[in-house]
Structures are given as C-alpha cells and as structure tokens.
Amino acid sequence: MRLNFILLIFLCVGCSDIQQPKPKGALSLSYPEPKYQINYSKKNYKYQYNSFAQVKKVSRGENIFYPELKATLYLSYTQINNNLDSLLNDAYKLPTKHIRKAQEIPERIFINQKKKVYGTMFNVVGNAASQIQFFLTDSSYNFLIGSLYFYVKPNYDSLLPAVKYIERDIIKLVETLEWDYDS
C-alpha cells in the first residue's frame, strides 16, 4: 500500500511538465559582404569576382569555387570561328536539359554596347542540378559560357539564399567583363 502511494506521488510530480510545440524557426544565413577584385584570364577577357571565392584556371577557362557554399561557377571560353550560330544554339539548349526538374526558366538579357558584351542569363527555378546558366559574347571573336553547380542534393528552397548571393556575383562579372582584343 505504501509502495502504491509513493508511486502515485512520483507519477503526479513526474508528469507536471506541459508539452508545447516548438516555435517555427527561420534559418539565419549570413554571407560576407562581397569585395570584388579583378581576374585577368589567360584567355581573352577580364572580370571582377568576389574575393570570398577562389579562382582556379582550367584549360578552357576558369572555375570560381565557393568553398563555404559548396558551389562552383564553371566558366568555359571559346573563340568564335564562323560558328556563332552553333555556339548560341548550344548555349540556349543547356538550360533545357533541366526542364524536367524546373518550374520555370526565366531569362535576363544583358547588352553593353560600349564594352561589346552581349548575353543571356537563365535562372532555373526548381530542384535542378544547375540553378544559373549564362553566356556572354562580343558576336565576333569571343564566347564565354557559365554554369553554377552546388555539391549537394538539389533543394531549391534551401539553396535559394546561396543562389541569390552568387547571382549577385555573376551579375557583377557580367557588368565588369571586358574582352582583350590584343591577346
């Protein structure tokens, strides 16, 4: 009897906590304010990139690696040799490879007549492998294509803050790109 009374006391005291659902939390991601520096390519161009990233030269261009974001912006350069139509055709086909996973693929057109830089950026909205693809050209000699990839399973909602951060860097790259016609 005494044991039952002690058990009853423990049950009453032990069950006094009220269970409440945890409040919804917001993911707080903070990235450093970009500081841009000039990259002189071994190819026929130069541009500004975020010093938060690392540029690695490769045979056809550069890879801009964001170690903290586990992302790489692949840049591939080609010289135009009477093949602008096929280069443009290939550049417009690249985003369509992600059409099955994309909800939409809006385009943004860039025209800088003073620097002779023309191009299009494609934002792939959805759980695709590449969230941003773009190409830039002077329509005569130079053609540069870029693709952004993350080294994680594509989850657009989770990647969106990082995508927007790197998108700002891509726009800076586009706005500061200059062709070197002396190379």
Side-chain angles (χ1 to χ4, degrees):
M1 185 81 156
R2 190 172 192 185
L3 184 61
N4 287 342
F5 181 70
I6 293 173
L7 261 169
L8 184 64
I9 291 175
F10 277 120
L11 284 176
C12 291
V13 172
C15 296
S16 65
D17 289 346
I18 298 173
Q19 297 293 327
Q20 293 184 4
K22 293 184 179 182
K24 290 185 179 180
L27 183 61
S28 175
L29 299 174
S30 62
Y31 302 115
E33 192 61 34
K35 293 180 179 107
Y36 294 102
Q37 59 192 40
I38 297 175
N39 179 52
Y40 295 93
S41 171
K42 291 181 181 177
K43 305 299 180 184
N44 297 347
Y45 58 92
K46 66 180 178 180
Y47 59 88
Q48 290 184 22
Y49 73 99
N50 189 342
S51 61
F52 178 63
Q54 303 165 0
V55 177
K56 182 179 179 184
K57 308 288 185 197
V58 292
S59 61
R60 296 198 58 181
E62 288 99 21
N63 294 339
I64 302 175
F65 180 58
Y66 292 81
E68 301 286 324
L69 303 177
K70 295 182 180 161
T72 300
L73 178 61
Y74 294 93
L75 299 176
S76 180
Y77 173 82
T78 304
Q79 214 166 12
I80 297 173
N81 294 316
N82 294 324
N83 60 346
L84 181 61
D85 288 342
S86 66
L87 291 170
L88 288 171
N89 191 28
D90 290 345
Y92 275 99
K93 279 183 185 176
L94 278 175
T96 62
K97 291 181 180 181
H98 304 287
I99 201 100
R100 287 185 36 221
K101 296 282 186 176
Q103 296 166 359
E104 64 178 320
I105 305 177
E107 298 177 13
R108 182 172 176 181
I109 296 172
F110 296 96
I111 299 172
N112 185 333
Q113 292 180 342
K114 183 179 177 184
K115 292 182 180 180
K116 296 182 181 175
V117 177
Y118 313 99
T120 302
M121 182 172 69
F122 305 93
N123 286 61
V124 182
V125 178
N127 295 332
S130 175
Q131 278 69 38
I132 299 177
Q133 297 187 346
F134 66 94
F135 69 87
L136 301 167
T137 183
D138 63 357
S139 301
S140 303
Y141 304 103
N142 303 296
F143 197 86
L144 183 67
I145 194 159
S147 298
L148 174 64
Y149 286 89
F150 287 88
Y151 298 104
V152 294
K153 183 178 179 187
N155 183 339
Y156 185 73
D157 291 341
S158 297
L159 291 175
L160 188 59
V163 170
K164 291 298 182 187
Y165 181 81
I166 297 174
E167 179 182 20
R168 186 169 57 173
D169 291 349
I170 292 171
I171 292 169
K172 183 71 168 184
L173 182 153
V174 171
E175 290 173 345
T176 61
L177 182 78
E178 292 183 32
W179 306 111
D180 180 9
Y181 293 104
D182 296 329
S183 295

